[in-house]
């Protein structure tokens, strides 16, 4: 690839939240930075959109809650974002004090390290200083901890869902991918709380974009990078866009999945190939549905995480069916109502009319299930049946109609996440999650943004440490490039 017509210190491919974090920190440090985003909107999966014509609702269409984005980093960036705690944690309640006391010890020890260079496995274990917790979360399948400390099948399953969000694995899998998923869901900010961003996810990335521009970063949308080269004799990195524009820089930061970076560089795809494992339903309701459980008001049940057929045995059955290539007969899922905690995403007239949003996230829906014709509708139907099994009326009767007279319900499978957001296999973590410490001696002391090229850095969710809305890989990529300081 020939030299670029424009020269930067840093080119960032992808305008998701981690790319915006890196752009802000690097621009503040005096680097000339450009962010290239192929979509017409910044934010990647952390966006607010109005998918239903004629309906004044801005939904967090893809990602929807915040936990792993450290408050310390938000403060460093000068981001003023209200993260509101939901008044109810979960329905049914997941009362397991022994489990959460153990995970709390780990969270308080590990959370601060996410913004620091990688420790070794031995150093991380010493920092936690708790052999019981280390063995339970880092050495043995999470199933053993749950079966030992939680006798009730439903409570055991509700806790176990944190190990399966976006992850297709059995709870007793010796590979421990489910443990890594569980870990990231319980350590955010040292508490594991998952909060609602007031104004929706777009409020976060809009604020990040403002901060990046104020720092001097150039943010460009509608610019698709189709190739990259980091092996030039002069040590520079170059990118080629779909419009045949060539840009060069001293460093290339990839705010994309590792598989996407490999494709841009012409490298073999990393193995194993990523695969997402979820179905998301976004809805707008005229009113909340009545529940079969008459002891709880709908506004209380839906205020937190509403667990649907997520008993421990139900999760195991659904995994076995999905592993056999079948849509689960009883779909484990969970729902939450953003507008009960933050009605600002609704137009005032909808608030006055009692309209609410509802998001349903179905588990054990790997991308492989959606290859067959009609599979998406079958999965949606199965998920709605599962939801309706705990309601006193069909959710379909509560759906608002859009401006075209259609029900306000949209489904996003891993296939849509790949086609719309560029997430390989629809994997919301970009690839299988890694431990938050070094796994080889060479990684100790690094910032966890490794590639084989010295001038190329990963700063998306697929970099070591973090997944979902974290901001951690973006900060760490910037710190690595700057030699540890900003």
């Amino acid at each position: 690839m020939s030299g670029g017509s424009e020269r930067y210190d840093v080119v960032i491919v992808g305008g998701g939240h981690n790319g915006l974090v890196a752009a802000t920190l690097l621009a503040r440090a005096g680097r000339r930075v450009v962010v290239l985003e192929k979509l017409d909107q910044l934010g990647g999966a952390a966006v607010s959109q109005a998918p239903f014509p004629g309906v004044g609702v801005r939904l967090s269409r893809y990602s929807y809650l915040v936990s792993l984005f450290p408050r310390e980093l938000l403060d460093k960036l000068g981001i003023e974002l209200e993260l509101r705690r939901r008044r109810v944690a979960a329905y049914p309640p997941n009362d397991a004090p022994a489990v959460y006391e153990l995970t709390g010890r780990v969270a308080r020890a590990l959370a601060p390290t996410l913004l620091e260079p990688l420790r070794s496995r031995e150093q991380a274990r010493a920092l936690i200083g708790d052999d019981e917790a280390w063995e339970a979360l880092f050495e043995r399948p999470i199933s053993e901890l749950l079966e030992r400390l939680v006798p009730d099948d439903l409570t055991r399953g509700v806790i176990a869902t944190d190990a399966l969000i976006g992850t297709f694995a059995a709870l007793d899998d010796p590979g421990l991918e489910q443990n890594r998923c569980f870990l990231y869901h319980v350590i955010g900010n040292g508490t594991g709380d998952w909060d609602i961003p007031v104004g929706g996810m777009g409020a976060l990335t809009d604020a990040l974009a403002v901060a990046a521009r104020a720092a001097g970063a150039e943010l460009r949308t509608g610019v698709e990078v189709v190739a990259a080269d980091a092996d030039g004799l002069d040590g520079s990195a170059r990118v080629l866009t779909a419009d045949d524009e060539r840009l060069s820089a001293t460093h290339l930061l990839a705010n994309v999945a590792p598989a996407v970076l490999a494709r841009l560089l012409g490298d073999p795809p990393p193995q194993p190939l990523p695969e997402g494992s979820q179905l998301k339903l976004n809805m707008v309701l005229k009113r909340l549905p009545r529940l079969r459980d008459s002891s709880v008001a709908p506004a209380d049940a839906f205020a937190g995480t509403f667990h649907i057929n997520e008993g421990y045995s139900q999760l195991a059955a659904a995994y076995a069916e999905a592993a056999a290539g079948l849509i689960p007969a009883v779909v484990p899922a969970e729902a939450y109502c953003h507008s009960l905690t933050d009605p600002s995403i609704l137009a005032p007239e909808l608030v006055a009319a009692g309209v609410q949003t509802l998001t349903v996230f179905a588990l054990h829906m790997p991308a492989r299930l959606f290859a067959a014709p009609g599979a998406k509708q079958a999965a949606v139907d199965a998920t709605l049946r599962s939801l309706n099994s705990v309601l006193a009326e069909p959710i379909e009767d509560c759906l608002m109609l859009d401006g075209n007279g259609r029900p306000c319900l949209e489904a996003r499978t891993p296939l849509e996440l790949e086609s719309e957001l560029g997430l390989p296999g629809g994997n919301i973590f970009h690839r299988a999650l890694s431990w938050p410490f070094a796994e080889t001696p060479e990684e100790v002391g690094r910032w966890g943004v490794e590639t084989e090229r010295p001038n190329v850095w990963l700063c998306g969710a697929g970099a070591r440490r973090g997944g979902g809305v974290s901001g951690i890989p973006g900060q760490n990529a910037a710190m690595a490039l700057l030699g540890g300081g900003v």
Side-chain angles (χ1 to χ4, degrees):
M1 189 185 301
S2 62
S5 58
E6 287 194 77
R7 177 76 184 216
Y8 294 87
D9 295 314
V10 184
V11 169
I12 300 177
V13 179
H17 63 282
N18 273 299
L20 296 173
V21 168
T24 302
L25 295 174
L26 292 170
R28 285 181 181 174
R31 303 306 196 268
R32 187 180 182 216
V33 181
V34 63
V35 176
L36 305 177
E37 168 56 52
K38 73 173 183 178
L39 300 179
D40 294 329
Q41 179 180 9
L42 295 165
V47 293
S48 297
Q49 295 178 336
F52 305 116
V55 179
V57 179
R58 289 185 59 77
L59 298 175
S60 296
R61 196 174 194 180
Y62 304 106
S63 62
Y64 48 96
L65 294 170
V66 176
S67 176
L68 280 172
F69 206 120
R71 305 295 191 276
E72 176 187 344
L73 181 55
L74 287 171
D75 291 342
K76 179 190 292 187
L77 296 167
I79 301 300
E80 295 184 3
L81 175 73
E82 182 182 355
L83 295 174
R84 193 170 289 174
R85 189 67 41 85
R86 295 174 288 179
R87 61 183 178 83
V88 175
Y91 170 85
N94 52 347
D95 186 21
V99 173
Y100 289 115
E101 199 278 327
L102 182 147
T103 60
R105 299 196 300 267
V106 174
R108 289 187 292 273
L110 275 187
T113 72
L114 299 180
L115 293 174
E116 299 172 355
L118 288 166
R119 286 168 166 77
S120 68
R121 186 182 188 94
E122 293 73 21
Q123 289 170 333
R125 179 169 188 163
L127 181 67
I128 293 172
D130 186 323
D131 289 342
E132 177 194 10
W134 182 268
E135 185 72 16
L137 297 183
F138 299 90
E139 302 290 351
R140 305 297 306 166
I142 191 70
S143 59
E144 296 182 12
L145 173 71
L146 297 176
E147 291 171 11
R148 176 167 56 88
L149 294 183
V150 186
D152 177 65
D153 185 88
L154 177 57
T155 302
R156 189 185 292 171
V158 166
I159 297 170
T161 59
D162 277 338
L164 302 174
I165 298 294
T167 297
F168 189 58
L171 291 165
D172 60 355
D173 190 326
L176 304 187
E177 184 176 352
Q178 74 280 15
N179 286 45
R180 296 191 289 275
C181 183
F182 183 81
L183 183 69
Y184 286 110
H185 278 90
V186 299
I187 68 171
N189 285 291
T191 65
D193 292 312
W194 288 81
D195 296 331
I196 286 182
V198 174
M201 294 304 299
L204 170 61
T205 43
D206 288 349
L208 289 172
V210 169
R213 288 193 177 98
E218 181 182 346
L219 309 181
R220 298 171 59 182
T221 57
V223 180
E224 181 180 4
V225 174
V226 296
D229 176 6
D231 299 320
L233 294 177
D234 60 354
S236 65
R238 293 165 292 278
V239 299
L240 173 67
T241 74
D243 295 328
D244 204 33
E245 182 181 5
R246 288 167 169 78
L247 297 87
S248 63
T250 306
H251 297 278
L252 170 65
L253 264 60
N255 185 31
V256 294
V260 174
L261 175 60
R263 174 172 55 79
L264 294 177
L265 292 169
D267 293 342
Q271 300 295 325
L273 295 176
E275 182 182 33
S277 182
Q278 67 288 316
L279 170 70
K280 188 183 180 196
L281 305 182
N282 293 316
M283 304 181 226
V284 181
L285 308 179
K286 295 177 290 187
R287 56 179 171 77
L288 291 175
R290 292 178 288 110
L291 306 177
R292 287 187 185 273
D293 180 1
S294 60
S295 69
V296 60
D300 293 330
F302 285 104
T305 299
F306 184 94
H307 294 275
I308 307 158
N309 291 318
E310 288 188 321
Y312 194 71
S313 56
Q314 289 173 313
L315 291 171
Y319 174 78
E321 290 172 309
L326 303 173
I327 294 169
V330 178
V331 176
E334 47 201 53
Y336 101 106
C337 176
H338 184 119
S339 53
L340 279 173
T341 301
D342 169 33
S344 72
I345 65 170
L346 302 173
E349 64 273 16
L350 298 184
V351 175
V355 168
Q356 302 287 354
T357 63
L358 192 68
T359 292
V360 177
F361 195 95
L363 305 182
H364 290 328
M365 290 284 187
R368 69 191 80 164
L369 296 184
F370 297 96
K376 177 180 177 180
Q377 188 58 54
V380 171
D381 292 343
T383 303
L384 293 177
R385 284 196 302 273
S386 183
L387 172 59
N388 286 336
S389 72
V390 298
L391 303 180
E393 59 183 325
I395 192 65
E396 292 89 339
D397 291 351
C398 301
L399 290 171
M400 188 175 177
L401 300 181
D402 68 17
N404 297 321
R406 299 188 182 93
C408 291
L409 184 153
E410 73 161 8
R412 286 296 175 267
T413 73
L415 304 189
E416 279 84 30
L417 295 190
E418 182 165 32
S419 63
E420 296 171 4
L421 301 177
L423 298 176
N427 189 304
I428 60 176
F429 305 128
H430 291 197
R431 64 177 175 184
L433 290 165
S434 55
W435 295 113
F437 46 73
E439 296 188 45
T440 66
E442 294 76 21
E443 291 177 328
V444 177
R446 296 183 182 176
W447 287 91
V449 288
E450 74 291 341
T451 71
E452 294 181 357
R453 293 170 172 83
N455 57 342
V456 178
W457 310 88
L458 279 166
C459 67
R464 183 176 299 284
R465 299 189 297 196
V469 182
S470 65
I472 297 163
Q475 190 246 221
N476 290 353
M479 298 291 276
L481 190 154
L482 296 169
V486 294

